[in-house]
Amino acid sequence: MFEPIVILKKFRKENSYMGGKYIAGTFFDYNGPHYINQTSYDILRLCDGKHSLDDIISIILNEYTGPKYTIIADIIKLLNIGTYLGFLTFDPTFIKIFQPIIDDSTLPLKPFNGYLRFPTSIYFEVTYACNLQCIHCYANAGKRLENELSFDEISTFTDELAAIKVYDVSIGGGEPLIRDDITKIVDCMTSKGIDVSMSTNGSLFDWDIAEELWHKGLNHIQFSLDGATADTHDKIRGVGGTFDMAIKAIKIAKSIGYHVTIKPVIQKQNWMQIPKILELANELGVDGFLLGRLIPYGRAKENLSDTFVPYEDYTTIVKELDCCSLDASMLRVRYEHLMDYKERDIQPFEVNVECPAARLSIHVCPDGIVKPCSYFPDKFSCGNIRETPLRDIWLNSTLLQYIRNLRLSDLNEPCSSCKFVCTGRCRAAGAAFFEEINAPDPLCPVVEEKYQLKKLVMEDKSSLEYRLRA
């Protein structure tokens, strides 16, 4: 007799069409949200710590028609994948530790088109205060806002996130460790079943705070590392000694047991060092490497001539990273907003813009303002959680609905008549650079050529703004 099967991750019912496919459910891990069809949902909802493999096979065979052995094979395949990826277990001891959260709530008959019923992830900047002055900071971080959300307000907001079954909150800033109540914030969220990750520059991450956050339930942390040498990193970060602090912080986090990601932002001063940063990440034994692209907003836009990396250089580094040989490494390499240009026999009006902002995730600023994602300029506000519940903003915001319904033909040239289909890429980058929601993504070779961006970024700021608006 098989032991009962348990889901170790939160599991949420959906009713959405995304990318032409029907999504009946989602669950979340370090690799992000996973989307499953109706059959997979019906199988996984039985993994509640009460049903054995025999039970599941018997129930599904009664619910579905078709070749018996094909159905059994599909069930076993899904459960094998689940145990391999770590969101299912046959270990009976886990039944007492984990309380499977299976969401069988009633949903509208009409599916949500192009977005999930609620976001799976929240990107939450808890402060704009920062002890560094990074040349590429999109948030222009430094000073704390006078109307920053209080802990009590964050606690109330967390109750709502738990109620709508948000899986993950990524805490950032500014520098989140500057808040003296940061451990209370993390504890508040994890105690309500929300996975919490944090992005930090590492300068304040010592043994004491690392252990306290670990005991409060934080287990995934992302460190900024913008150079393979102290000279490059410290110059970009604007403060000396920060490279050594970041390396020390990474070692502390790995020693305690954190899942650690390193994220460099590719820019003019470090793009040739990116492969070396990957090698350094591998030597440090980190778990993930995320190559961040530069978003032309905040100080990154003010310093564009010192930060802008052309598409050709960006793709050159990506190809070099793909060829890196990391012996015996489990390091996972990812790219932020990687472009994919292919000529396809399809018309722009047939292609939905597939930026995840407003579809899968949402951003909350330190003062409660909600934006489609953190990179959108402040004028693209969807509401404020102090005034409106997040669920109402998600479902009713005019801006969010507009983004969800965008097609390539709705975007400004060259996108609306482009022979390539790239799904429109980063909406925030276009909005930040051109200050229009329908603007093209500047990290595109076609856009780069049309607007002569290589030449533009070398000009002074007033000339750049004048010519972009012309």
Side-chain angles (χ1 to χ4, degrees), residues 354-367:
E354 294 183 0
C355 178
R359 291 174 170 80
L360 313 176
S361 59
I362 202 76
H363 175 78
V364 179
C365 300
D367 56 359

Side-chain angles (χ1 to χ4, degrees), residues 15 95 104 128 335 369 401:
N15 183 24
I95 297 174
D104 269 326
Y128 283 149
Y335 308 104
I369 288 177
Q401 292 292 355

Side-chain angles (χ1 to χ4, degrees), residues 54-276:
D54 286 342
D55 297 332
I56 294 172
I57 290 174
S58 177
I59 293 170
I60 295 299
L61 284 175
N62 286 330
E63 292 181 354
Y64 282 84
T65 59
K68 176 179 179 181
Y69 294 106
T70 300
I71 295 174
I72 293 174
D74 288 343
I75 294 171
I76 293 174
K77 179 181 178 182
L78 175 64
L79 299 182
N80 280 337
I81 292 172
T83 52
Y84 174 75
L85 293 178
F87 65 87
L88 291 179
T89 181
F90 285 88
D91 187 343
T93 61
F94 280 85
I95 297 174
K96 296 180 181 179
I97 300 173
F98 291 92
Q99 296 296 321
I101 302 175
I102 311 297
D103 177 17
D104 269 326
S105 57
T106 302
L107 294 176
L109 292 176
K110 183 180 179 180
F112 300 100
N113 188 18
Y115 62 105
L116 300 179
R117 61 161 170 154
F118 295 123
T120 56
S121 300
I122 303 292
Y123 299 93
F124 186 17
E125 289 170 338
V126 294
T127 186
Y128 283 149
C130 190
N131 56 339
L132 305 186
Q133 283 289 312
C134 303
I135 191 174
H136 61 280
C137 181
Y138 68 86
N140 208 3
K143 293 183 178 180
R144 185 192 302 269
L145 295 179
E146 292 182 1
N147 60 338
E148 195 173 87
L149 290 168
S150 68
F151 172 76
D152 288 342
E153 289 175 311
I154 293 174
S155 178
T156 300
F157 177 52
T158 301
D159 289 338
E160 184 188 2
L161 297 184
I164 64 177
K165 295 180 172 60
V166 167
Y167 294 143
D168 172 75
V169 173
S170 297
I171 291 177
E175 172 49 55
L177 295 180
I178 285 180
R179 283 195 63 137
D180 56 13
D181 59 356
I182 190 62
T183 56
K184 287 177 60 181
I185 293 172
V186 171
D187 184 45
C188 175
M189 292 182 173
T190 58
S191 66
K192 292 181 174 67
I194 298 171
D195 286 343
V196 179
S197 57
M198 182 180 292
S199 297
T200 171
N201 60 43
S203 62
L204 304 177
F205 192 82
D206 58 19
W207 276 103
D208 289 340
I209 190 66
E211 290 183 333
E212 188 173 0
L213 287 169
W214 177 261
H215 291 302
K216 297 299 184 184
L218 184 72
N219 52 34
H220 185 187
I221 194 156
Q222 177 178 287
F223 294 102
S224 301
L225 194 65
D226 289 313
T229 64
D231 180 64
T232 300
H233 177 87
D234 292 356
K235 186 176 180 181
I236 290 173
R237 292 272 147 184
V239 175
T242 54
F243 177 81
D244 292 336
M245 294 176 190
I247 298 298
K248 181 179 179 181
I250 292 166
K251 291 179 178 178
I252 289 173
K254 286 303 301 177
S255 295
I256 291 175
Y258 282 94
H259 183 283
V260 175
T261 297
I262 284 179
K263 180 183 178 182
V265 175
I266 187 169
Q267 50 196 290
K268 184 179 290 186
Q269 296 184 59
N270 72 0
W271 76 280
M272 291 292 288
Q273 290 188 18
I274 298 296
K276 291 293 184 182

